Amino acid sequence: MHPHHILRVLFTADDIAGRVDALVGEIGRTCAAGSLVLVGILRGSFIFFADLVRGLFYHHLHPRIDFTLLQSYGSGTESSGTVEIERDISVDVRGTEVVLVDDILDTGRTLHFAVELMYAKGARSVKSCVLLDKPSRRVAPISADFVGFTVEDVFVVGYGLDYDSYYRELPYIAELTFTHPGAAGGQ
Ligand code: IMP
Ligand code: MG
């Protein structure tokens, strides 16, 4: 038998679409139109990011966009504790208002690292937007400015989130269950 499978759907495609709309409204009200740069943290944010960006159009926000590929999980089941830049941004963020977008705020190591990185590159302000927040898992001192849904300490997949690079295509967010004790990791 497959060592992991979908246990239950936590958020349907409609739930997500409604929440993304609300987040777009919040970002539209909070961020100035002038020098906005949206930075997606790959890979998990790619679907969320695309939906957010299209929503911002209707709020007359026309950000520049870029992506960074950050890895915080080792090859196995445990967070490695260090974050590595696999692919850096190329947009010059000096003096700009950056909004970092990630799929899930878990230990917080990735987002904390990314916020520091944007400031180090000269951003004037750095905010963060995550689809999911797992506050019970937090290690790094960070919270997000815009949060889609708060979730319990369960491993979730879908709408961009993966397990071992699978499940990203699911239009909904679901809890994954493991029949063998072990491993929940991903990036
Ligand atoms: P961090 O622990 O906050 O640094 O999160 C690192 C990355 O781990 C996130 O960007 C996700 O890609 C991944 N991650 C954390 N929790 C989950 C989960 O429940 N499902 C899928 N990926 C996860
Ligand atoms: Mg990720």
Side-chain angles (χ1 to χ4, degrees):
M1 191 183 142
H2 221 38
H4 46 84
H5 60 268
I6 299 291
L7 188 62
R8 64 191 167 117
V9 174
L10 297 179
F11 305 107
T12 65
D14 277 353
D15 294 337
I16 298 168
R19 200 59 201 113
V20 169
D21 258 8
L23 284 176
V24 165
E26 283 180 45
I27 294 171
R29 283 188 296 278
T30 312
C31 297
S35 64
L36 189 61
V37 183
L38 233 66
V39 176
I41 301 176
L42 295 173
R43 301 182 176 82
S45 72
F46 75 109
I47 296 179
F48 179 43
F49 190 89
D51 285 346
L52 274 181
V53 169
R54 280 176 295 183
L56 289 176
F57 171 84
Y58 297 103
H59 285 255
H60 310 290
L61 281 179
H62 309 290
R64 285 186 293 164
I65 71 165
D66 204 349
F67 296 93
T68 178
L69 174 48
L70 300 178
Q71 303 270 34
S72 68
Y73 276 41
S75 51
T77 64
E78 279 293 304
S79 168
S80 68
T82 57
V83 180
E84 280 161 33
I85 306 171
E86 294 250 329
R87 191 258 183 215
D88 204 347
I89 57 167
S90 45
V91 166
D92 182 358
V93 295
R94 278 176 296 179
T96 67
E97 195 175 357
V98 171
V99 176
L100 286 162
V101 178
D102 205 358
D103 53 354
I104 184 166
L105 184 50
D106 187 34
T107 67
R109 288 187 179 111
T110 306
L111 198 59
H112 185 260
F113 177 89
V115 169
E116 297 297 309
L117 184 65
M118 294 302 125
Y119 278 121
K121 288 176 180 289
R124 188 177 69 234
S125 83
V126 183
K127 292 194 173 70
S128 53
C129 175
V130 296
L131 179 68
L132 301 171
D133 187 8
K134 261 192 221 175
S136 59
R137 295 256 307 164
R138 201 76 84 252
V139 172
I142 186 157
S143 59
D145 299 281
F146 310 101
V147 174
F149 303 100
T150 300
V151 292
E152 303 295 307
D153 183 11
V154 294
F155 197 81
V156 293
V157 293
Y159 194 68
L161 291 106
D162 75 306
Y163 174 69
D164 196 19
S165 299
Y166 289 105
Y167 300 112
R168 293 194 198 272
E169 78 286 3
L170 301 180
Y172 48 81
I173 291 168
E175 177 179 349
L176 199 67
T177 188
F178 298 88
T179 40
H180 299 300
Q187 59 274 323

XYZ file of all heavy atoms in Angstrom, residues 30-107:
600
model
N -3.510 47.950 2.264
C -2.337 48.184 3.110
C -1.116 48.684 2.339
O -0.303 49.419 2.880
C -1.951 46.875 3.841
O -3.133 46.316 4.405
C -0.951 47.123 4.953
N -0.979 48.230 1.096
C 0.265 48.513 0.376
C 0.072 49.644 -0.624
O -0.944 49.704 -1.313
C 0.745 47.261 -0.351
S 1.137 45.929 0.785
N 1.061 50.509 -0.682
C 1.030 51.619 -1.642
C 1.261 51.074 -3.047
O 1.987 50.092 -3.239
C 2.100 52.630 -1.280
N 0.638 51.704 -4.006
C 0.722 51.193 -5.372
C 2.100 51.408 -6.002
O 2.512 50.670 -6.881
C -0.352 51.845 -6.233
N 2.836 52.398 -5.501
C 4.045 52.877 -6.178
C 5.158 51.888 -6.428
O 5.494 51.611 -7.567
N 5.750 51.345 -5.362
C 7.000 50.612 -5.548
C 6.900 49.190 -5.025
O 7.805 48.669 -4.400
C 8.126 51.335 -4.808
O 7.847 51.318 -3.418
N 5.769 48.570 -5.299
C 5.509 47.245 -4.745
C 6.214 46.147 -5.547
O 6.148 46.127 -6.781
C 3.994 47.008 -4.762
C 3.453 45.771 -4.045
C 3.787 45.807 -2.557
C 1.943 45.691 -4.244
N 6.899 45.266 -4.815
C 7.499 44.084 -5.446
C 6.975 42.850 -4.719
O 7.117 42.729 -3.501
C 9.041 44.097 -5.368
C 9.615 42.875 -6.097
C 9.614 45.379 -5.959
N 6.342 41.957 -5.451
C 5.855 40.715 -4.863
C 6.891 39.622 -5.129
O 7.252 39.387 -6.291
C 4.532 40.335 -5.531
C 3.353 40.055 -4.599
C 2.983 41.342 -3.883
C 2.163 39.508 -5.367
N 7.370 38.989 -4.074
C 8.380 37.940 -4.229
C 7.808 36.602 -3.767
O 7.481 36.434 -2.588
C 9.659 38.274 -3.425
C 10.659 37.120 -3.510
C 10.301 39.563 -3.944
N 7.656 35.689 -4.682
C 7.150 34.359 -4.356
C 8.282 33.438 -3.934
O 9.333 33.399 -4.569
N 8.069 32.721 -2.832
C 9.060 31.746 -2.365
C 8.678 30.389 -2.944
O 7.630 29.831 -2.622
C 9.119 31.722 -0.824
C 9.491 33.116 -0.296
C 10.124 30.660 -0.355
C 9.487 33.231 1.224
N 9.524 29.924 -3.845
C 9.238 28.656 -4.519
C 9.703 27.482 -3.663
O 10.574 27.646 -2.828
C 9.976 28.630 -5.865
C 9.485 29.693 -6.863
C 10.385 29.724 -8.100
C 8.029 29.444 -7.250
N 9.093 26.283 -3.879
C 8.174 26.107 -4.983
C 6.717 26.216 -4.548
O 5.819 26.430 -5.348
C 8.381 24.700 -5.603
C 9.786 24.477 -6.102
C 9.879 23.073 -6.739
N 11.175 22.851 -7.324
C 12.232 22.466 -6.594
N 12.114 22.213 -5.304
N 13.415 22.313 -7.154
N 6.478 26.035 -3.254
C 5.106 25.817 -2.775
C 4.124 26.932 -3.044
O 2.917 26.707 -3.050
N 4.635 28.152 -3.292
C 3.723 29.295 -3.422
C 3.205 29.517 -4.832
O 2.448 30.458 -5.055
C 4.425 30.569 -2.941
O 5.410 30.961 -3.881
N 3.592 28.682 -5.790
C 3.358 29.088 -7.190
C 1.886 29.261 -7.561
O 1.543 30.171 -8.311
C 4.096 28.154 -8.169
C 3.481 26.790 -8.377
C 2.867 26.472 -9.578
C 3.533 25.820 -7.392
C 2.323 25.204 -9.785
C 2.984 24.555 -7.584
C 2.377 24.248 -8.788
N 1.010 28.443 -7.040
C -0.412 28.567 -7.404
C -1.043 29.740 -6.645
O -1.741 30.579 -7.213
C -1.162 27.255 -7.122
C -0.607 26.147 -8.027
C -2.664 27.434 -7.335
C -1.253 24.784 -7.816
N -0.773 29.806 -5.358
C -1.250 30.915 -4.510
C -0.785 32.249 -5.087
O -1.564 33.207 -5.209
C -0.690 30.681 -3.105
C -1.049 31.723 -2.084
C -2.330 32.235 -1.987
C -0.085 32.164 -1.169
C -2.658 33.185 -1.011
C -0.398 33.108 -0.205
C -1.686 33.620 -0.127
N 0.470 32.315 -5.455
C 1.070 33.534 -5.994
C 0.340 33.973 -7.265
O -0.007 35.150 -7.427
C 2.554 33.273 -6.289
C 3.341 34.500 -6.620
C 3.952 35.236 -5.614
C 3.494 34.929 -7.933
C 4.691 36.380 -5.912
C 4.228 36.063 -8.232
C 4.824 36.792 -7.222
N 0.089 33.033 -8.145
C -0.582 33.360 -9.412
C -1.987 33.901 -9.160
O -2.424 34.853 -9.805
C -0.632 32.124 -10.306
N -2.697 33.306 -8.224
C -4.048 33.784 -7.911
C -4.000 35.164 -7.266
O -4.816 36.030 -7.579
C -4.765 32.784 -6.995
C -5.219 31.536 -7.746
O -5.216 31.562 -9.001
O -5.577 30.539 -7.088
N -3.047 35.385 -6.372
C -2.904 36.698 -5.719
C -2.620 37.798 -6.741
O -3.239 38.856 -6.728
C -1.741 36.686 -4.723
C -1.947 36.208 -3.307
C -0.627 36.339 -2.547
C -3.041 36.973 -2.590
N -1.667 37.537 -7.600
C -1.237 38.549 -8.570
C -2.390 38.962 -9.478
O -2.619 40.143 -9.727
C -0.048 38.023 -9.411
C 0.231 38.944 -10.583
C 1.184 37.902 -8.541
N -3.162 37.990 -9.930
C -4.293 38.329 -10.798
C -5.351 39.105 -10.035
O -5.984 40.008 -10.573
C -4.888 37.064 -11.425
C -4.064 36.599 -12.602
C -4.569 35.302 -13.163
N -4.416 34.220 -12.169
C -4.724 32.971 -12.398
N -5.237 32.622 -13.557
N -4.532 32.049 -11.480
N -5.517 38.786 -8.747
C -6.461 39.538 -7.923
C -6.035 40.984 -7.750
O -6.865 41.900 -7.769
N -4.752 41.199 -7.598
C -4.249 42.564 -7.366
C -4.549 43.486 -8.548
O -4.739 44.682 -8.376
C -2.734 42.538 -7.087
C -2.343 41.956 -5.725
C -0.826 41.879 -5.605
C -2.921 42.777 -4.579
N -4.608 42.915 -9.716
C -4.937 43.696 -10.917
C -6.257 44.444 -10.708
O -6.386 45.611 -11.074
C -5.031 42.766 -12.124
C -5.578 43.424 -13.357
C -4.740 44.153 -14.198
C -6.929 43.334 -13.672
C -5.247 44.766 -15.332
C -7.440 43.951 -14.805
C -6.597 44.674 -15.631
N -7.223 43.757 -10.111
C -8.551 44.357 -9.918
C -8.544 45.396 -8.800
O -9.519 46.112 -8.619
C -9.598 43.264 -9.676
C -9.725 42.353 -10.872
C -9.149 41.082 -10.874
C -10.366 42.794 -12.030
C -9.226 40.266 -11.987
C -10.447 41.976 -13.146
C -9.881 40.724 -13.126
O -9.952 39.918 -14.240
N -7.476 45.425 -8.013
C -7.318 46.478 -7.001
C -6.345 47.546 -7.492
O -5.819 48.316 -6.696
C -6.839 45.884 -5.671
C -7.927 45.168 -4.941
N -8.547 45.692 -3.834
C -8.523 43.982 -5.195
C -9.481 44.847 -3.438
N -9.481 43.800 -4.230
N -6.098 47.551 -8.771
C -5.252 48.572 -9.400
C -3.840 48.574 -8.843
O -3.196 49.614 -8.751
C -5.896 49.960 -9.290
C -7.326 49.938 -9.744
N -7.676 49.763 -11.068
C -8.487 49.996 -9.056
C -8.998 49.728 -11.176
N -9.513 49.869 -9.967
N -3.393 47.408 -8.412
C -1.994 47.272 -7.993
C -1.253 46.536 -9.103
O -1.712 45.489 -9.574
C -1.894 46.480 -6.685
C -2.200 47.254 -5.402
C -2.091 46.319 -4.211
C -1.260 48.434 -5.230
N -0.146 47.093 -9.502
C 0.612 46.515 -10.607
C 2.047 46.300 -10.159
O 2.958 47.025 -10.556
C 0.531 47.445 -11.824
C -0.890 47.810 -12.147
N -1.787 46.894 -12.662
C -1.587 48.953 -11.958
C -2.970 47.473 -12.808
N -2.876 48.721 -12.384
N 2.231 45.309 -9.275
C 3.562 45.090 -8.701
C 4.532 44.519 -9.732
O 4.114 43.884 -10.696
C 3.286 44.045 -7.621
C 2.116 43.282 -8.129
C 1.260 44.295 -8.851
N 5.818 44.751 -9.477
C 6.792 43.927 -10.175
C 6.797 42.589 -9.442
O 6.508 42.534 -8.241
C 8.176 44.579 -10.130
C 8.261 45.758 -11.100
C 9.647 46.314 -11.161
N 9.999 46.932 -9.904
C 11.245 47.238 -9.551
N 12.244 46.963 -10.350
N 11.490 47.822 -8.403
N 7.101 41.512 -10.165
C 7.125 40.213 -9.494
C 8.440 39.489 -9.749
O 9.081 39.661 -10.779
C 5.932 39.311 -9.890
C 6.069 38.803 -11.317
C 4.605 40.024 -9.687
C 5.145 37.664 -11.624
N 8.815 38.707 -8.740
C 10.012 37.888 -8.871
C 9.856 36.676 -7.957
O 8.896 36.591 -7.180
C 11.260 38.697 -8.508
C 12.526 38.129 -9.163
O 12.474 37.013 -9.720
O 13.577 38.799 -9.086
N 10.788 35.763 -8.075
C 10.724 34.538 -7.277
C 12.087 34.230 -6.685
O 13.120 34.594 -7.247
C 10.322 33.344 -8.158
C 8.946 33.466 -8.727
C 8.747 34.018 -9.990
C 7.835 33.061 -7.999
C 7.472 34.152 -10.519
C 6.557 33.193 -8.509
C 6.375 33.741 -9.776
N 12.057 33.558 -5.547
C 13.287 33.001 -5.003
C 12.993 31.547 -4.641
O 11.870 31.215 -4.242
C 13.783 33.808 -3.781
O 14.956 33.187 -3.258
C 12.745 33.877 -2.672
N 13.978 30.707 -4.845
C 13.812 29.300 -4.475
C 14.650 29.057 -3.229
O 15.881 29.127 -3.276
C 14.253 28.390 -5.636
C 14.289 26.873 -5.414
C 13.011 26.349 -4.776
C 14.514 26.176 -6.738
N 13.977 28.830 -2.127
C 14.650 28.614 -0.843
C 14.386 27.195 -0.379
O 13.280 26.677 -0.537
C 14.129 29.607 0.209
C 14.314 31.093 -0.092
C 13.711 31.939 1.028
C 15.788 31.434 -0.269
N 15.394 26.598 0.200
C 15.268 25.230 0.719
C 15.559 25.251 2.205
O 16.612 25.722 2.618
C 16.305 24.301 0.070
C 16.243 24.257 -1.435
C 15.305 23.183 -1.956
O 14.283 22.899 -1.347
N 15.664 22.595 -3.072
N 14.614 24.758 2.989
C 14.875 24.731 4.422
C 14.808 23.326 4.997
O 15.192 23.091 6.120
C 13.879 25.615 5.172
O 12.600 25.052 5.091
N 14.329 22.407 4.190
C 14.234 21.043 4.693
C 15.371 20.212 4.129
O 15.709 20.353 2.954
C 12.902 20.406 4.313
C 11.787 20.741 5.269
C 11.635 22.010 5.792
C 10.894 19.752 5.678
C 10.627 22.313 6.680
C 9.882 20.037 6.562
C 9.758 21.325 7.061
O 8.755 21.604 7.951
N 15.959 19.373 4.952
C 16.983 18.453 4.474
C 16.327 17.394 3.596
O 15.142 17.456 3.292
N 17.076 16.408 3.223
C 16.533 15.405 2.319
C 15.545 14.487 3.040
O 14.650 13.928 2.437
C 17.665 14.576 1.722
O 18.490 14.102 2.756
N 15.693 14.379 4.333
C 14.845 13.441 5.079
C 13.611 14.089 5.659
O 12.918 14.856 5.003
N 13.352 13.783 6.891
C 12.094 14.173 7.503
C 12.223 15.427 8.348
O 11.236 16.031 8.702
C 11.603 13.046 8.420
O 12.547 12.885 9.476
C 11.466 11.755 7.647
N 13.429 15.786 8.693
C 13.629 16.889 9.628
C 14.041 18.158 8.922
O 14.798 18.123 7.971
C 14.736 16.509 10.630
C 14.249 15.632 11.763
C 13.287 16.360 12.666
O 13.650 17.431 13.196
O 12.142 15.877 12.839
N 13.565 19.250 9.441
C 14.028 20.550 8.998
C 15.522 20.629 9.265
O 15.993 20.234 10.319
C 13.296 21.626 9.796
O 13.911 22.867 9.599
N 16.267 21.123 8.279
C 17.719 21.159 8.449
C 18.138 22.276 9.392
O 19.252 22.285 9.904
C 18.398 21.352 7.094
O 18.125 22.637 6.597
N 17.250 23.236 9.585
C 17.588 24.334 10.485
C 18.295 25.478 9.806
O 18.366 26.568 10.336
N 18.807 25.248 8.620
C 19.412 26.340 7.859
C 18.673 26.483 6.539
O 18.119 25.521 6.017
C 20.901 26.081 7.564
O 21.008 24.848 6.864
C 21.719 26.015 8.834
N 18.676 27.700 6.045
C 17.974 27.968 4.797
C 19.004 28.265 3.716
O 19.944 29.020 3.945
C 17.018 29.171 4.966
C 16.285 29.467 3.672
C 16.029 28.899 6.102
N 18.834 27.665 2.567
C 19.753 27.910 1.464
C 19.035 28.552 0.286
O 17.897 28.210 0.004
C 20.391 26.590 1.012
C 21.527 26.168 1.927
C 21.864 24.709 1.789
O 21.723 24.175 0.666
O 22.253 24.108 2.810
N 19.754 29.486 -0.359
C 19.199 30.139 -1.546
C 19.584 29.312 -2.765
O 20.752 29.260 -3.145
C 19.772 31.566 -1.728
C 19.570 32.400 -0.472
C 19.128 32.236 -2.945
C 20.300 33.748 -0.518
N 18.609 28.665 -3.370
C 18.886 27.906 -4.602
C 18.786 28.812 -5.817
O 19.421 28.584 -6.840
C 17.876 26.776 -4.754
C 17.999 25.717 -3.699
C 18.540 24.426 -4.264
O 18.273 24.135 -5.444
O 19.231 23.721 -3.513
N 17.906 29.826 -5.688
C 17.744 30.768 -6.793
C 17.374 32.107 -6.160
O 16.388 32.207 -5.430
C 16.639 30.273 -7.729
C 16.535 31.014 -9.062
C 15.402 32.020 -9.068
N 15.264 32.675 -10.362
C 14.891 33.946 -10.511
N 14.648 34.701 -9.443
N 14.765 34.469 -11.700
N 18.178 33.117 -6.423
C 17.963 34.435 -5.814
C 17.056 35.280 -6.718
O 16.873 34.954 -7.894
C 19.322 35.128 -5.638
C 19.299 36.174 -4.525
O 18.199 36.541 -4.055
O 20.392 36.637 -4.136
N 16.525 36.376 -6.171
C 15.739 37.294 -7.002
C 16.674 38.088 -7.910
O 17.864 38.232 -7.614
C 14.903 38.270 -6.148
C 15.780 39.083 -5.193
C 13.821 37.532 -5.394
C 15.071 40.251 -4.553
N 16.132 38.611 -8.987
C 16.954 39.468 -9.842
C 16.453 40.908 -9.891
O 17.177 41.800 -10.307
C 17.082 38.893 -11.253
O 15.838 38.460 -11.718
N 15.198 41.142 -9.467
C 14.696 42.524 -9.395
C 15.474 43.270 -8.306
O 15.771 42.707 -7.251
C 13.184 42.534 -9.062
C 12.713 43.920 -8.654
C 12.375 42.029 -10.256
N 15.800 44.543 -8.593
C 16.478 45.379 -7.599
C 15.424 45.911 -6.622
O 14.555 46.690 -7.009
C 17.179 46.536 -8.321
C 17.954 47.434 -7.372
O 17.928 47.192 -6.147
O 18.592 48.392 -7.865
N 15.489 45.484 -5.362
C 14.441 45.853 -4.402
C 14.823 47.057 -3.537
O 14.078 47.408 -2.615
C 14.042 44.656 -3.491
C 13.392 43.558 -4.321
C 15.228 44.133 -2.696
N 15.952 47.706 -3.830
C 16.357 48.858 -3.021
C 15.272 49.935 -3.019
O 14.782 50.338 -4.070
C 17.676 49.459 -3.540
C 18.889 48.698 -3.041
C 20.155 49.239 -3.646
N 20.161 49.041 -5.103
C 21.154 49.433 -5.908
N 22.206 50.050 -5.426
N 21.085 49.206 -7.206
N 14.869 50.348 -1.812
C 13.882 51.422 -1.673
C 12.443 51.007 -1.965
O 11.554 51.847 -1.972
N 12.203 49.724 -2.186
C 10.851 49.280 -2.544
C 10.113 48.682 -1.346
O 10.694 48.411 -0.294
C 10.886 48.195 -3.642
O 11.486 47.015 -3.090
C 11.678 48.661 -4.858
N 8.831 48.469 -1.575
C 7.983 47.813 -0.586
C 7.809 46.375 -1.051
O 7.173 46.120 -2.075
C 6.647 48.553 -0.574
C 5.781 48.263 0.599
C 4.519 49.144 0.587
O 4.382 49.990 -0.313
O 3.692 48.969 1.474
N 8.417 45.434 -0.311
C 8.385 44.023 -0.727
C 7.295 43.274 0.034
O 7.138 43.445 1.244
C 9.749 43.343 -0.465
C 9.661 41.828 -0.691
C 10.837 43.941 -1.359
N 6.530 42.472 -0.685
C 5.634 41.524 -0.029
C 6.103 40.121 -0.416
O 6.081 39.746 -1.588
C 4.157 41.717 -0.434
C 3.283 40.631 0.210
C 3.660 43.102 -0.012
N 6.558 39.378 0.592
C 6.980 37.995 0.384
C 5.755 37.100 0.436
O 4.875 37.285 1.290
C 7.946 37.581 1.491
C 9.355 38.178 1.397
C 10.061 38.048 2.751
C 10.162 37.482 0.304
N 5.689 36.133 -0.466
C 4.536 35.233 -0.513
C 5.022 33.805 -0.357
O 5.880 33.352 -1.119
C 3.785 35.377 -1.856
C 2.612 34.404 -1.920
C 3.303 36.824 -2.049
N 4.478 33.107 0.639
C 4.843 31.700 0.792
C 3.593 30.862 1.009
O 2.528 31.381 1.345
C 5.848 31.495 1.932
C 6.688 30.228 1.732
O 6.465 29.491 0.744
O 7.578 29.963 2.567
N 3.746 29.566 0.803
C 2.599 28.675 0.958
C 2.225 28.503 2.431
O 1.069 28.620 2.795
C 2.876 27.307 0.293
C 4.178 26.655 0.761
O 4.963 27.271 1.516
O 4.426 25.490 0.353
N 3.234 28.240 3.268
C 2.909 27.926 4.665
C 4.010 28.412 5.594
O 5.193 28.309 5.284
C 2.639 26.404 4.827
C 2.200 26.065 6.260
C 3.828 25.560 4.417
C 1.602 24.658 6.393
N 3.586 28.963 6.693
C 4.512 29.411 7.736
C 4.507 28.330 8.808
O 3.525 28.150 9.524
C 4.011 30.749 8.291
C 4.835 31.484 9.333
C 6.283 31.630 8.910
C 4.226 32.849 9.592
N 5.604 27.581 8.853
C 5.679 26.405 9.714
C 6.631 26.733 10.878
O 6.229 27.411 11.817
C 6.140 25.220 8.864
C 6.107 23.893 9.584
O 5.219 23.700 10.426
O 6.970 23.033 9.310
N 7.886 26.301 10.799
C 8.830 26.711 11.852
C 9.122 28.206 11.757
O 9.536 28.824 12.727
C 10.177 25.958 11.729
O 10.828 26.360 10.530
C 9.981 24.447 11.751
